[in-house]
Amino acid sequence: MSTITPDILRQWRHEFHRHPETAFEEQRTSARIAEILDARGIEMVTGLGGGTGVVAWVDGCRGSGSAIGLRADIDALDVTEANAFAHASRTPGKMHACGHDGHTTMLLGAAWALADNPDFAGRVYFIFQPAEENEGGGRVMVEEGLFERFPMEAVYGVHNWPGLAVGEAAVHETAVMAAFDVFTVKLSGYGCHAAMPHLGKDVVLAACQLVSQLQGIVSRETPAHQTAVLSVTQFHAGDAYNVMPETVELCGTVRCFDPELRHYIEARFRQAIASLATFHGLEASIDYQSRYPATFNTPAHANRCAEVLEAMPDIRQVHRDMPPSMASEDFAFMLQQCPGAYIWLGNGKDSAALHNPHYDFNDELTPLGVAYWTTLVRTLLG
Ligand SMILES: [Zn+2]
Ligand SMILES: [Zn+2]
C-alpha cells in the first residue's frame, strides 16, 4: 500500500506554487524537497547544482541491478501571477508559470510510492534540478559530475503540456525541443540633429535593415525541410523627436534543431552585422550566447516510454507524431551525456499556455505523473 494520496500531492503542489523561487535561488523549495524525502526515510544528497539541487535514491527489494534517473525541474519564472486562487504566488513578480511545482510534486510522489513498495531490482535516482529556465541548472549538474557520482544507465524527464487533455501523452522518437541561443547587438554611429541626418551616421536605419536581413537567413538560406526561428524581441534607440540617436541595441533569440544549421546561422548572423556596419560606417558589438542544445531522445528509450504509457489504464492516447516544440529545455545537457527520453503529459485542453500569467499546473495530472514514473521504473527495472 502506498502512503501517497491525491490529497497529499495537492497539498505539496499548492505549497510549492505559493512559494515560487527562480534560478539557483530555490532555497525554500530545496529545503522542502529534502524535508519531504526525509519524512519517508529516503536517502539523498543536497546542495548540488550550485546549491539547491537534490539527488535522492531508492533501492529495489529484488536485489541489485542497473540504475536509472528520473528528473524534475524545481524553479519558477519572473512572471506576475494573474490567478486569484488560494494557492497563488505570495512572492510578487515570481510565479510557477511552467508547472515545475507539479513536476517536483510528481517526482516526490514517485519517490514515496517506490519507497513504500520497492518491488524492482536496482536503484532509482530522483534528480531535483534547479534553474531550468534560462540559466541551465541541468548543465551545472552535469558539469558537477551528476553521472559520475550517481552512475545510471538512462535518464528520463517529463513536462506537462497545455493543449493536450489530461490522460493524453506525446512521445518523440528523436527531437523534442529546439536549441536555444540569445543575442545582443549594439550598433554605434554618430548622433546629430534629426533635420540634418547627413551630418551623422544613422543607427536606426541600419538596425531596421538588419532586422529584415536577419530574417533572410531563415527564410532564404535555411533549407525548407529544416526548421529555424530567429526573433528580434527588443529594439532600443533614442529618446527625442529631433535627435538622431548615437546607439541602438537589438536583442533576440534563435531556435533550431540541427547543430550544423545552428553554427551556420550564427556565422551568417555575424557576417550580416559586420558587412552592414562597414556599409553604414558603424561600430558593432555582438554578444551571441549558445544557451541550450536541442533535446534529442534516444529512439529505443523513447519507444519504451511510449509502450509504458500505452499500457497504463489512465492514459487514453499517446501521440507519436506531434511536431517538436521550438521552445527549449536544459534536460538536453543530461541527454547529451546519458541515453533516455523526455515526454509530454497533457495538462488539459483548456490549460493556459506555459509562461502565461493565468497558467496553473493541473492537479488531476499529478497522480497520473506519479503512476507514469512508478510504472516506468517497475517496467524498466522489473
Ligand atoms: Zn518554462
Ligand atoms: Zn518548464
Side-chain angles (χ1 to χ4, degrees):
M1 261 304 283
S2 176
T3 51
I4 203 76
T5 65
D7 268 352
I8 293 175
L9 293 169
R10 186 185 306 258
Q11 281 169 28
W12 290 348
R13 213 277 295 174
H14 287 195
E15 188 189 337
F16 287 124
H17 194 92
R18 270 195 293 271
H19 301 286
E21 296 171 304
T22 45
F24 298 120
E25 293 171 356
E26 306 94 339
Q27 304 290 351
R28 187 190 194 282
T29 307
S30 177
R32 187 69 183 116
I33 289 167
E35 195 176 61
I36 290 172
L37 292 166
D38 196 49
R40 189 57 196 76
I42 297 167
E43 287 186 84
M44 78 193 97
V45 176
T46 59
L48 301 170
T52 51
V54 178
V55 174
W57 58 91
V58 169
D59 289 320
C61 65
R62 293 210 210 150
S64 59
S66 51
I68 61 169
L70 315 178
R71 170 273 202 174
D73 37 17
I74 67 171
D75 58 318
L77 282 155
D78 291 308
V79 171
T80 299
E81 179 149 14
N83 297 310
F85 43 54
H87 64 278
S89 169
R90 294 192 181 168
T91 308
K94 301 207 189 267
M95 176 190 175
H96 268 294
C98 204
H100 301 182
D101 50 341
H103 302 165
T104 302
T105 304
M106 293 191 305
L107 195 58
L108 285 169
W112 268 44
L114 289 164
D116 287 341
N117 190 6
D119 54 343
F120 58 91
R123 172 173 284 190
V124 184
Y125 287 110
F126 305 91
I127 304 163
F128 296 90
Q129 179 223 294
E132 190 284 318
E133 304 285 359
N134 295 309
E135 302 308 325
R139 178 179 51 74
V140 173
M141 286 193 92
V142 169
E143 287 174 0
E144 223 179 52
L146 174 71
F147 295 116
E148 291 77 29
R149 189 162 177 194
F150 309 102
M152 56 192 86
E153 68 170 27
V155 67
Y156 297 89
V158 165
H159 208 291
N160 75 94
W161 210 253
L164 286 181
V166 174
E168 290 183 43
V171 180
H172 299 78
E173 198 159 44
T174 54
V176 199
M177 310 287 282
F180 163 37
D181 299 335
V182 294
F183 58 80
T184 301
V185 177
K186 195 169 172 189
L187 299 175
S188 307
Y190 189 75
C192 63
H193 197 299
M196 296 165 246
H198 62 286
L199 298 179
K201 293 190 191 305
D202 185 358
V203 289
V204 174
L205 176 64
C208 290
Q209 290 174 353
L210 181 62
V211 172
S212 24
Q213 201 180 341
L214 292 177
Q215 291 312 320
I217 301 174
V218 173
S219 66
R220 300 286 81 189
E221 300 182 36
T222 300
H225 60 271
Q226 288 204 37
T227 312
V229 174
L230 189 160
S231 292
V232 176
T233 56
Q234 298 180 48
F235 192 123
H236 305 289
D239 44 24
Y241 284 114
N242 58 350
V243 178
M244 298 303 301
E246 194 141 295
T247 61
V248 60
E249 193 173 89
L250 302 177
C251 305
T253 183
V254 176
R255 312 286 172 125
C256 66
F257 293 93
D258 183 73
E260 264 181 51
L261 177 61
R262 191 181 185 196
H263 289 131
Y264 177 84
I265 292 173
E266 181 183 348
R268 291 291 288 153
F269 182 94
R270 291 179 183 280
Q271 277 174 5
I273 292 162
S275 61
L276 182 106
T278 305
F279 180 76
H280 289 271
L282 309 176
E283 295 286 322
S285 74
I286 305 170
D287 179 16
Y288 196 102
Q289 296 177 17
S290 298
R291 289 282 172 101
Y292 299 173
T295 306
F296 287 106
N297 286 339
T298 339
H301 296 79
N303 291 333
R304 287 305 293 281
C305 292
E307 285 163 20
V308 164
L309 287 161
E310 275 155 4
M312 285 173 57
D314 292 330
I315 295 287
R316 290 194 307 279
Q317 195 178 0
V318 181
H319 299 273
R320 301 301 311 271
D321 54 359
M322 275 182 73
S325 169
M326 295 313 289
S328 306
E329 169 57 67
D330 76 349
F331 190 60
F333 290 105
M334 296 193 187
L335 286 178
Q336 280 187 330
Q337 300 294 319
C338 183
Y342 174 90
I343 63 127
W344 299 344
L345 293 177
N347 195 55
K349 279 241 180 283
D350 302 323
S351 165
L354 298 173
H355 296 200
N356 180 281
H358 295 279
Y359 170 88
D360 192 29
F361 186 88
N362 192 331
D363 286 310
E364 280 176 47
L365 172 56
T366 321
L368 198 60
V370 174
Y372 168 63
W373 281 138
T374 55
T375 312
L376 185 71
V377 167
R378 294 194 172 111
T379 307
L380 298 176
L381 303 179

